[in-house]
Amino acid sequence: MKRHLLMGLALLMLAGSAVAAAFDYGLKARRVADGVYAFIGHTEDFDTVNGGNIANAAFIVAPGGVIVVDSGSSLRYGQQMRAAIAAVTDKPVALVINTHHHPDHFLGNQAFAGVPIGALAETRQAIAAEGDAFAENLFRMSGDWMKGTELQQPTRTLAAGPLEIAGRRLRLLAFDGHTGADLVVVDEASGVVIAGDLVFHGRAPTTPHANVAHWLAALDRLEALTREPGFKVLLPGHGEPSTSAAPIRETRAWLVWLVDAMRQAARDGLDMNEVLARPLPPEFASLPLAASEYRRSVGHLFPAAEQDVLEGRAQ
């Protein structure tokens, strides 16, 4: 039995090595609505097997070209994304949109050099300030999947409001909360809401640049979108698409619990090590990456919760 187990583990390791050696993300465009396709990332953290393929990206086939929403985590991802798009349509890419400045959503920009790349003004500033450091960090985490990847900054500033590109009418909504600037893309023709990382589905949310109060307010406005007559599909930044607001509620439940847990721990006088050691509640215990994201979030959020308690701001 032990010998068979060891052989099985060895085969799994070889399989993982083969995938990594091929540097093939295996991108398959999934049709989520008329003219709208998505690449669904793994509900994992960055590693040398998945190559950083952990976030969702999308593209919209418009009458006059293709609109790409987020470009993935590396030059290789962006190149393979372009090839997967070409398997669906021979129309040229008219615009790339970066929803926010986290690296799994914009480091594929380099594969779209020569195409307009748009983002909110604050996102452009954040990519310029932090993009190189993000790329270096992903080289450490994902290894040679990142070979050749260099920072390609957005070239066009986007703003909230209607936007017609290549004959397709979009509605852009500007929020903050997950980061300092979070762009949501609504495709009016199909009723698809591309929410970026304001929404996580079947995966614990990340909080390195979060303002949770603002994030919760953004989720309320996003949920209102799902009640509009034309709504059809919600595409989160991570996890499966949905025809309901369930992923929004899931994200909200995690954030509300997380903030309450930090405040209560601060009121109880716990130190950070004690907070890190606390078990997750049953409703979140089996959520992918819940334990690791909880630990990261303690580092991001607990010091501010302590300060609020010390200064009498916590309710």
Side-chain angles (χ1 to χ4, degrees):
M1 182 71 176
K2 184 176 180 181
R3 181 183 176 190
H4 289 305
L5 180 60
L6 290 172
M7 288 177 64
L9 288 171
L11 288 171
L12 284 172
M13 291 175 67
L14 285 171
S17 298
V19 171
F23 300 116
D24 182 2
Y25 287 106
L27 298 181
K28 298 287 191 298
R30 184 193 301 184
R31 184 181 180 277
V32 296
D34 185 26
V36 183
Y37 298 80
F39 301 103
I40 308 301
H42 301 290
T43 51
E44 302 168 353
D45 206 349
F46 299 103
D47 62 32
T48 56
V49 176
N50 63 41
N53 180 15
I54 66 167
N56 297 340
F59 67 96
I60 301 166
V61 181
V66 175
I67 305 157
V68 172
V69 183
D70 288 334
S71 61
S73 57
S74 69
L75 170 61
R76 292 182 194 271
Y77 186 104
Q79 290 170 333
Q80 292 176 34
M81 184 183 188
R82 292 201 77 162
I85 293 170
V88 173
T89 177
D90 60 1
K91 293 179 179 180
V93 177
L95 176 68
V96 176
I97 296 173
N98 294 153
T99 59
H100 63 292
H101 83 292
H102 284 169
D104 44 337
H105 295 264
F106 77 82
L107 279 175
N109 283 358
Q110 190 182 356
F112 297 91
V115 174
I117 301 173
L120 294 172
E122 298 88 343
T123 299
R124 292 188 65 182
Q125 293 164 5
I127 288 175
E130 301 183 67
D132 285 327
F134 280 144
E136 290 174 9
N137 194 38
L138 259 64
F139 269 100
R140 289 191 291 271
M141 299 175 74
S142 299
D144 283 345
W145 289 88
M146 299 295 296
K147 187 173 182 180
T149 302
E150 296 179 358
L151 176 62
Q152 173 67 55
Q153 298 182 30
T155 55
R156 176 175 174 180
T157 299
L158 301 177
L163 177 68
E164 186 162 323
I165 294 291
R168 192 89 165 194
R169 184 176 175 83
L170 307 178
R171 184 171 20 138
L172 304 184
L173 298 103
F175 299 101
D176 70 306
H178 176 65
T179 68
D182 298 291
L183 185 64
V184 172
V185 178
V186 180
D187 178 46
E188 300 280 17
S190 67
V192 174
V193 176
I194 304 173
D197 278 9
L198 286 169
V199 181
F200 286 69
H201 189 196
R203 183 206 191 279
T206 61
T207 61
H209 299 95
N211 179 318
V212 177
H214 289 196
W215 194 342
L216 291 171
L219 290 176
D220 290 343
R221 291 181 62 191
L222 280 177
E223 186 160 1
L225 284 179
T226 69
R227 295 192 291 269
E228 292 183 357
F231 169 76
K232 294 291 193 303
V233 177
L234 174 70
L235 181 66
H238 296 259
E240 289 291 319
S242 176
T243 57
S244 75
I248 295 173
R249 297 180 190 127
E250 180 184 299
T251 304
R252 183 190 291 114
W254 171 272
L255 294 174
V256 168
W257 163 74
L258 187 64
V259 169
D260 288 348
M262 295 302 99
R263 287 174 178 165
Q264 190 58 53
R267 291 190 198 101
D268 292 344
L270 302 185
D271 63 29
M272 188 172 287
N273 287 330
E274 291 172 315
V275 181
L276 288 167
R278 299 185 98 178
L280 295 174
E283 66 180 299
F284 300 123
S286 62
L287 189 65
L289 295 179
S292 58
E293 291 300 348
Y294 170 71
R295 290 192 294 271
R296 292 177 67 198
S297 292
V298 170
H300 302 150
L301 304 177
F302 184 61
E306 282 187 305
Q307 195 64 32
D308 285 346
V309 168
L310 288 172
E311 296 180 6
R313 290 193 299 269
Q315 296 180 356

